[in-house]
Amino acid sequence: MEAIWILLTLFVLIMLAGVYGVVRGVRAAKRGIDRTVHQARVTVEETRLRARQLAQPGAAGELAQLRLSLRGSMRATGQALQAAAPQDRSLSESLGLFQRLSSHALDLEADLKRLEQEPDRARLAALLPEMRERTQRITHSADSLRWAVQERSHRMAHDDLDSLGREIEMEAGALRHWTAVEPDEPLATPEAGARPGPEAGARSGPEAGQAPEPPRPSLGATGNTEPQSWQKPWQKSPRPENTA
């Protein structure tokens, strides 16, 4: 009986997981469709505005130009913030400011769209300077925020590249610094000025292994009268006789 309940529980869990996966897939597909439809509507709307800007000079054409300028500036700033926000957490305040600016931009967009349907040309000409000033203020704020974000991103990328270059140079220097295996060093020779030992005197001479030269007699020195081994008998100096 317990095995049946376990199988039923597993079957229910599998069914719930399948239903949850299907629901998530449907919602993701719906979001993708909505996003595609929104982008298509934006493209169609901007194409219509460009055509009106070129085909209808005067107040109507200027209204289309203001709407295009407002849309382009806000879209570019939003894309710059969305691209930089995941890498830079300090842009949270900038995102909040952009949301507030977007509210003013939507209000202005609605006002400009209503003025396109205004039949009174005199009223349209009177309200156009105010619309132009509001558009310039909003686009200037959006452009300033976008440029600041771009400069910050470029600066961070430049600093990271400098740091990476220094680390690579250090690693390259460490890789080039190898130590060759050298043989054992010979015994250290005695330092200059050290007093030689008794064995050093036996090895002192012109060259090791050669017999030392015999000492040369100095002039005027009285040596032994016995003939030396290297003197011949007839080479002995004659002894002077007494002439007395």
Side-chain angles (χ1 to χ4, degrees), residues 36 44 54-55 61 74 77 89 92 94-95 98 119 123-124 143 153 156 170 177 182 199 203 211 217 239 241:
T36 303
V44 171
L54 297 175
M74 295 299 295
T77 304
R89 300 297 182 183
S92 58
S94 300
L95 289 171
F98 180 72
R123 177 176 173 79
L124 179 59
D143 293 342
S153 299
M156 292 178 63
M170 293 176 61
H177 186 271
E182 303 207 354
E199 297 181 357
R203 291 195 303 267
R239 184 174 182 182
E241 295 180 358

Side-chain angles (χ1 to χ4, degrees), residues 53-97:
Q53 178 185 1
L54 297 175
Q56 297 180 358
E62 188 171 356
L63 284 175
Q65 180 182 359
L66 291 178
R67 290 186 64 185
L68 286 173
S69 176
L70 181 64
R71 283 168 170 256
S73 179
M74 295 299 295
R75 180 169 58 249
T77 304
Q79 292 175 354
L81 285 171
Q82 290 177 2
Q87 289 81 20
D88 192 355
R89 300 297 182 183
S90 62
L91 294 179
S92 58
E93 185 175 356
S94 300
L95 289 171
L97 294 175

Side-chain angles (χ1 to χ4, degrees), residues 149-218:
V149 171
Q150 292 174 351
E151 291 175 2
R152 179 178 177 84
S153 299
H154 293 165
R155 183 61 184 176
M156 292 178 63
H158 186 270
D159 293 343
D160 185 67
L161 183 60
D162 289 343
S163 177
L164 179 61
R166 289 192 295 269
E167 291 179 5
I168 290 176
E169 290 297 331
M170 293 176 61
E171 181 66 17
L175 292 175
R176 293 191 184 99
H177 186 271
W178 58 82
T179 303
V181 179
E182 303 207 354
D184 296 338
E185 296 182 358
L187 296 176
T189 57
E191 297 181 358
R195 186 175 181 180
E199 297 181 357
R203 291 195 303 267
S204 62
E207 293 182 0
Q210 296 182 359
E213 296 181 359
R216 297 180 181 179
S218 59

Side-chain angles (χ1 to χ4, degrees), residues 15-237:
M15 291 296 295
L16 290 176
V19 171
Y20 178 73
V22 171
V23 171
R24 289 196 60 183
V26 171
R27 289 180 179 178
K30 186 177 182 299
R31 286 194 299 268
I33 293 173
D34 294 340
R35 185 164 52 251
T36 303
V37 171
H38 176 70
Q39 292 177 355
R41 288 178 179 175
V42 170
T43 303
V44 171
E45 182 70 16
E46 292 184 354
T47 302
R48 184 182 65 84
L49 290 174
R50 290 189 181 93
R52 179 175 295 181
Q53 178 185 1
L54 297 175
Q56 297 180 358
E62 188 171 356
L63 284 175
Q65 180 182 359
L66 291 178
R67 290 186 64 185
L68 286 173
S69 176
L70 181 64
R71 283 168 170 256
S73 179
M74 295 299 295
R75 180 169 58 249
T77 304
Q79 292 175 354
L81 285 171
Q82 290 177 2
Q87 289 81 20
D88 192 355
R89 300 297 182 183
S90 62
L91 294 179
S92 58
E93 185 175 356
S94 300
L95 289 171
L97 294 175
F98 180 72
Q99 294 295 331
R100 294 172 57 186
L101 187 64
S102 298
S103 300
H104 291 280
L106 290 175
D107 294 340
L108 178 59
E109 173 77 12
D111 293 340
L112 292 173
K113 193 172 183 179
R114 281 194 298 267
L115 284 178
E116 289 179 351
Q117 308 299 327
E118 178 63 41
D120 190 355
R121 300 302 176 183
R123 177 176 173 79
L124 179 59
L127 293 177
L128 192 58
E130 180 185 355
M131 298 295 105
R132 187 186 305 115
E133 181 184 0
R134 288 176 60 187
T135 304
Q136 290 176 355
R137 291 177 61 184
I138 293 176
T139 55
H140 176 71
S141 298
D143 293 342
S144 299
L145 186 59
R146 182 177 69 256
W147 295 336
V149 171
Q150 292 174 351
E151 291 175 2
R152 179 178 177 84
S153 299
H154 293 165
R155 183 61 184 176
M156 292 178 63
H158 186 270
D159 293 343
D160 185 67
L161 183 60
D162 289 343
S163 177
L164 179 61
R166 289 192 295 269
E167 291 179 5
I168 290 176
E169 290 297 331
M170 293 176 61
E171 181 66 17
L175 292 175
R176 293 191 184 99
H177 186 271
W178 58 82
T179 303
V181 179
E182 303 207 354
D184 296 338
E185 296 182 358
L187 296 176
T189 57
E191 297 181 358
R195 186 175 181 180
E199 297 181 357
R203 291 195 303 267
S204 62
E207 293 182 0
Q210 296 182 359
E213 296 181 359
R216 297 180 181 179
S218 59
L219 297 177
T222 58
N224 191 2
T225 57
E226 296 181 359
Q228 300 295 332
S229 60
W230 57 275
Q231 291 179 344
K232 295 181 180 181
W234 61 82
Q235 291 180 343
K236 291 188 294 183
S237 57

